Amino acid sequence: MESKAFENYTDRLRASLLDAGGVVGLVIMGSTAHAKFRDEWSDHDLWVITETGAQDALVEDLSWLPDYRDILLVVTHGKHRRTVMYRNRHKTEFAVFDVNEAREGKVERYRVLIDRDNIAELIESIHEHTIQEVQPKHDGLENLCVLLWTACERYKRGELLSARQWVDGFAVNQLLSLISSTEPAEDSKDPLDVRRRLELRSPELAAELFSQLGKTVPQAALGLLQIAERELKAKSPSLAWDKATMVGDWIRDV
């Protein structure tokens, strides 16, 4: 969506929700909140905060959404989350929460557009909790080893698609979380999705990780362990490198 059209959609959304019954807050997130990270492929990502009991009406009747007559499809995620796709290919992802439901969610980048009940303070507290929660745990390297060994077990069992998910998905995410924790904070980082914009921040690392996709599961697992050692050992020598070495030996025997 072109920039002016994107902002126009946001303005119409806010105006519509100002008149909607039971709405106490509107929070836009991610690139919706920060134009710096937005391009023609960006979608709208938002929370609508309501009085308790007002959520169902808003997820059942989507006429509060701009251009709702042009919606092509609606996908349900749980009770109060939805994704809508318009006929012009634009996508809007939203949740309709009361205050208690919102506390169970996660918030990274955000901007509050409607605040009728201390919503700004609520969202800031959720944001702070989110950042604390996504910090890598002390056993992060052990977790990486478990993920890689599980991938190899499934590979040997013949569960090839599952094995690829464990090595290319779960293990890569864990490795990137560990690496990110040793690097200075950057605007382009997304704590909720460590893969986002990696090609912009660390193009060589992104290319190296992508190259693992063409290798067998054991080869890719060893490759990720080698990247971990290269990127992390000097910075975090107290991690369980002796255990990682043992798991690497197991993988070489697969």
Side-chain angles (χ1 to χ4, degrees):
M1 180 180 281
E2 185 266 338
S3 179
K4 284 187 178 180
F6 194 100
E7 294 292 353
N8 178 261
Y9 182 101
T10 305
D11 292 342
R12 287 186 291 143
L13 176 73
R14 180 179 182 276
S16 175
L17 287 171
L18 281 171
D19 294 332
V23 172
V24 296
L26 170 61
V27 186
I28 56 176
M29 301 180 180
S31 61
T32 310
H34 292 275
K36 176 180 178 180
F37 304 109
R38 193 185 305 153
D39 59 24
E40 63 181 302
W41 305 106
S42 296
D43 58 13
H44 273 82
D45 189 4
L46 57 112
W47 283 5
V48 181
I49 312 295
T50 70
E51 298 170 352
T52 298
Q55 308 97 303
D56 289 348
L58 287 175
V59 295
E60 290 168 4
D61 179 2
L62 300 182
S63 60
W64 54 274
L65 282 169
D67 307 318
Y68 75 97
R69 296 185 187 278
D70 293 325
I71 291 174
L72 175 66
L73 53 86
V74 180
V75 178
T76 299
H77 310 285
K79 190 173 182 181
H80 293 140
R81 290 182 182 269
R82 300 290 186 271
T83 298
V84 303
M85 185 83 75
Y86 288 89
R87 296 182 185 278
N88 66 359
R89 308 180 192 180
H90 187 63
K91 185 168 85 267
T92 296
E93 297 179 297
F94 67 89
V96 183
F97 289 152
D98 67 11
V99 168
N100 291 326
E101 288 175 317
R103 289 195 179 99
E104 300 300 317
K106 298 182 187 301
V107 175
E108 196 254 323
R109 294 184 182 88
Y110 72 91
R111 187 153 50 98
V112 177
L113 297 187
I114 297 176
D115 184 352
R116 288 173 168 156
D117 190 17
N118 298 316
I119 296 303
E121 289 108 347
L122 169 69
I123 299 302
E124 177 58 24
S125 69
I126 297 170
H127 169 73
E128 291 177 358
H129 180 71
T130 298
I131 298 304
Q132 293 172 1
E133 197 174 57
V134 299
Q135 295 302 313
K137 308 299 187 291
H138 70 280
D139 58 355
L141 184 60
E142 288 99 321
N143 189 10
L144 176 63
C145 290
V146 169
L147 294 170
L148 294 173
W149 182 242
T150 301
C152 292
E153 288 177 323
R154 298 193 180 195
Y155 171 81
K156 288 299 289 184
R157 192 182 292 132
E159 299 179 53
L160 302 184
L161 287 175
S162 178
R164 295 263 33 141
Q165 180 184 34
W166 280 76
V167 71
D168 300 336
F170 306 144
V172 168
N173 288 349
Q174 179 64 16
L175 173 59
L176 287 174
S177 292
L178 286 166
I179 293 174
S180 178
S181 69
T182 68
E183 297 173 335
E186 295 181 25
D187 284 347
S188 59
K189 282 186 178 180
D190 184 340
L192 300 182
D193 187 347
V194 288
R195 296 178 185 235
R196 293 297 306 273
R197 292 177 283 274
L198 183 64
E199 290 80 1
L200 298 178
R201 296 194 313 275
S202 303
E204 292 182 0
L205 176 60
E208 187 176 8
L209 290 172
F210 193 76
S211 72
Q212 304 302 317
L213 302 180
K215 299 179 181 179
T216 68
V217 167
Q219 288 172 338
L222 285 175
L224 295 185
L225 275 181
Q226 290 165 0
I227 294 171
E229 182 171 355
R230 183 192 72 216
E231 297 289 332
L232 297 167
K233 194 169 186 178
K235 299 175 183 177
S236 305
S238 62
L239 294 179
W241 295 107
D242 55 335
K243 298 173 184 177
T245 297
M246 181 177 291
V247 172
D249 291 340
W250 295 353
I251 294 171
R252 289 184 184 89
D253 290 337
V254 170

